[in-house]
Amino acid sequence: MTPFSSPRPAVLACHGLSMTYRTASGPLPALRDVSFTVGAGELVCVVGPSGCGKTTLLKLLAGLLTPSSGSVVTAPPPPGRPANALMFQEHALFPWMTVLENVTFALDGNGAGRRGRLDRAREFVERVGLTQFGAAYPHQLSAGMRQRVALARVLARNPYVWLMDEPFGALDGQTRLLLQEELLRTWEAHQQSILFVTHDIDEGVRLADRILVMTGRPGTMREQVVVTLPRPRQPLVGDGEAAEIKCRIWRLLEDEVRKTLYSPRAER
């Protein structure tokens, strides 16, 4: 049990996770001795200064990188569900596929026939408000619409653990609030386990059960903040307990953020 453990049964656990990149100019430490858990049905946000290793952490959890030391343990997913899915800030759509084809492709291998995959893809394209754009290609969509397609792919796959890397960070404020709402609606209906990286303190307070605050590079866990605000939470929280939580998180981050302003930008 670590100070950053969930009170719920763990579906994802990091133990002493460290990562050092080998570069032409020498070793570049990105993460150091990171330990925490994500519980069943829990939505955990991670915040930290730019360059502290947040993206590296998600890539390690998704199995895209091998840690220099430490381990990642994921509980076996239920039959028919992928163990995890990683959603980036950039949409990563296939440019030669339509909206509907992109979402349908994400469902390959889930055991359903083509008709079943197509019906499920249509359902989630509709849920992100893009029914009229099912035959459009990514280059014909705005940045916000492309990110909605990326969200539809994750929703449709229904992974056991969702790994989300600032997925709404590049969107305009209105679109961000609407996609937060869709994410929360799906999470509350199905109680997926989500680890959500964000640079936006307001977003973390609106979404999270717990917020993990990281130090600057090499990133490690500094403190966790439990968010006990009742749900549903208002999209724009500005006073009372919510404001106190935001101030506390900023106080934890402020020194770390100032340090990054005067040091070279590193791999996130």
Side-chain angles (χ1 to χ4, degrees):
M1 182 71 71
T2 79
F4 308 101
S5 294
S6 171
R8 308 181 190 183
V11 297
L12 177 67
C14 295
H15 303 289
L17 201 63
S18 296
M19 181 67 186
T20 298
Y21 291 100
R22 304 298 171 186
T23 71
S25 56
L28 178 66
L31 293 172
R32 183 185 67 236
D33 195 25
V34 173
S35 298
F36 68 93
T37 70
V38 176
E42 189 177 34
L43 202 165
V44 177
C45 284
V46 177
V47 299
S50 180
C52 73
K54 300 185 295 293
T55 294
T56 293
L57 174 62
L58 289 186
K59 288 180 178 179
L60 290 167
L61 299 180
L64 301 179
L65 293 174
T66 301
S68 302
S69 61
S71 62
V72 177
V73 179
T74 305
R81 291 180 66 183
N84 62 61
L86 177 54
M87 181 178 174
F88 293 102
Q89 183 172 346
E90 295 297 328
H91 56 78
L93 303 178
F94 295 114
W96 60 87
M97 291 185 181
T98 66
V99 166
L100 193 58
E101 288 168 344
N102 263 285
V103 180
T104 303
F105 182 81
L107 297 172
D108 282 356
N110 73 345
R114 173 166 175 76
R115 173 55 58 184
R117 295 196 303 273
L118 193 58
D119 289 344
R120 185 169 177 83
R122 286 197 179 101
E123 173 190 348
F124 286 92
V125 167
E126 179 180 2
R127 284 175 58 171
V128 298
L130 292 176
T131 299
Q132 294 181 323
F133 296 89
Y137 289 89
H139 74 273
Q140 297 172 310
L141 307 175
S142 69
M145 293 166 75
R146 290 193 292 268
Q147 201 63 354
R148 284 151 70 183
V149 180
L151 179 60
R153 289 194 306 189
V154 175
L155 296 176
R157 288 194 70 198
N158 191 28
Y160 192 42
V161 178
W162 297 17
L163 305 171
M164 310 189 82
D165 187 12
E166 299 191 32
F168 310 143
L171 304 180
D172 65 86
Q174 298 94 327
T175 302
R176 183 185 304 122
L177 292 175
L178 289 175
L179 292 189
Q180 288 173 2
E181 186 176 288
E182 182 58 41
L183 176 67
L184 285 170
R185 181 163 42 245
T186 302
W187 172 74
E188 288 168 351
H190 302 288
Q191 289 295 291
Q192 288 96 346
S193 301
I194 301 176
L195 186 68
F196 189 108
V197 165
T198 181
H199 65 272
D200 186 328
I201 296 174
D202 281 283
E203 183 170 63
V205 172
R206 186 187 185 196
L207 298 179
D209 295 314
R210 289 184 296 139
I211 298 174
L212 304 180
V213 182
M214 293 184 69
T215 67
R217 181 173 62 89
T220 192
M221 292 303 173
R222 176 173 179 176
E223 193 165 329
Q224 80 169 5
V225 177
V226 178
V227 183
T228 57
L229 296 170
R231 299 183 185 273
R233 297 171 188 165
Q234 295 301 313
L236 301 172
V237 288
D239 55 17
E241 185 180 354
E244 292 177 7
I245 294 171
K246 288 190 289 184
C247 287
R248 179 183 173 192
I249 293 169
W250 173 241
R251 285 195 296 269
L252 292 168
L253 284 173
E254 185 174 10
D255 287 343
E256 303 293 340
V257 172
R258 290 185 188 280
K259 291 175 189 175
T260 67
L261 295 178
Y262 304 103
S263 61
R265 186 175 178 86
E267 172 71 22
R268 289 172 47 224

